[in-house]
Amino acid sequence: MCALIMLWMSSGCGYHLADGEDSIDPAIQKVFVDTFTNRTSEAGIENLFRSAFMDQVLRGGRFQLAGSREEADALIRGDIRSLSTSHLSYGKTDLSVEERLTVVMDVTFEERTSKRILWQVRNFNYYNDYTVAGEQTNVMEIKRKNALVKLSGDAAERAYSLILSGF
């Protein structure tokens, strides 16, 4: 009886998708990643995130990346609402040692012809931390840019996973 209870308790919530299973209609094969809007003061961030989403569609393997809106079955659209930098920790000189980049955006996955929304999230936020301790200004900018690239890739990967799962 104890073994049965332990097995039941370790089984988790019980809901998951089987390997290779997703909640998207199999007829949707080609996806176009539309131009993202940028409501931040960070120039070019919309291109960075759009590229990250395109890379994720290619890596994900579930869809083909469409070359234009017209040949796509579905669209991914993004609206980058904010990008903020906050200090996480400070050194002995009261200068920041570690910072966090946080993006907030709306992401929509919709059927192209019917414009039916298949998945959408508002205020989707993701962050990436990076160190800045004792760095010169140019090195700090390079680290920030690298953190932004990582942030865009990680956010695209998470959103793609949520699109497929329907959550």
Side-chain angles (χ1 to χ4, degrees):
M1 181 66 167
C2 276
L4 185 59
I5 291 171
M6 292 300 286
L7 179 63
W8 175 72
M9 289 177 64
S10 66
S11 65
C13 69
Y15 182 78
H16 68 282
L17 295 172
D19 289 339
E21 182 182 347
D22 63 53
S23 66
I24 306 299
D25 181 350
I28 295 177
Q29 295 295 311
K30 291 186 176 184
V31 172
F32 181 73
V33 180
D34 214 345
T35 303
F36 278 39
T37 57
N38 180 3
R39 299 179 191 272
T40 75
S41 60
E42 183 82 23
I45 191 175
E46 69 279 8
N47 299 323
L48 185 63
F49 275 83
R50 181 176 186 234
S51 293
F53 273 78
M54 291 168 68
D55 289 345
Q56 186 56 49
V57 169
L58 289 170
R59 267 196 322 269
R62 165 58 175 85
F63 306 109
Q64 295 173 17
L65 188 62
S68 69
R69 292 176 122 259
E70 294 71 30
E71 65 183 55
D73 301 313
L75 307 170
I76 294 176
R77 290 183 288 112
D79 181 17
I80 304 168
R81 303 177 69 69
S82 69
L83 178 71
S84 60
T85 304
S86 55
H87 304 290
L88 290 181
S89 59
Y90 297 90
K92 293 177 185 174
T93 60
D94 290 334
L95 294 176
S96 180
V97 175
E98 188 177 25
E99 294 184 346
R100 172 172 288 170
L101 273 173
T102 303
V103 67
V104 178
M105 63 183 159
D106 300 339
V107 182
T108 303
F109 182 64
E110 74 177 20
E111 213 167 22
R112 183 184 60 85
T113 54
S114 69
K115 297 193 185 300
R116 183 171 63 100
I117 294 175
L118 304 171
W119 181 86
Q120 183 176 48
V121 63
R122 298 216 182 267
N123 296 316
F124 174 76
N125 67 70
Y126 219 81
Y127 66 87
N128 187 33
D129 301 337
Y130 62 103
T131 59
V132 293
E135 301 292 356
Q136 296 173 336
T137 305
N138 61 336
V139 174
M140 285 175 37
E141 273 305 307
I142 291 169
K143 284 188 167 193
R144 184 178 187 280
K145 179 67 173 171
N146 290 340
L148 193 51
V149 169
K150 181 169 179 3
L151 172 64
S152 66
D154 291 351
E157 182 178 359
R158 179 69 181 139
Y160 181 84
S161 175
L162 291 170
I163 287 169
L164 288 182
S165 69
F167 286 107

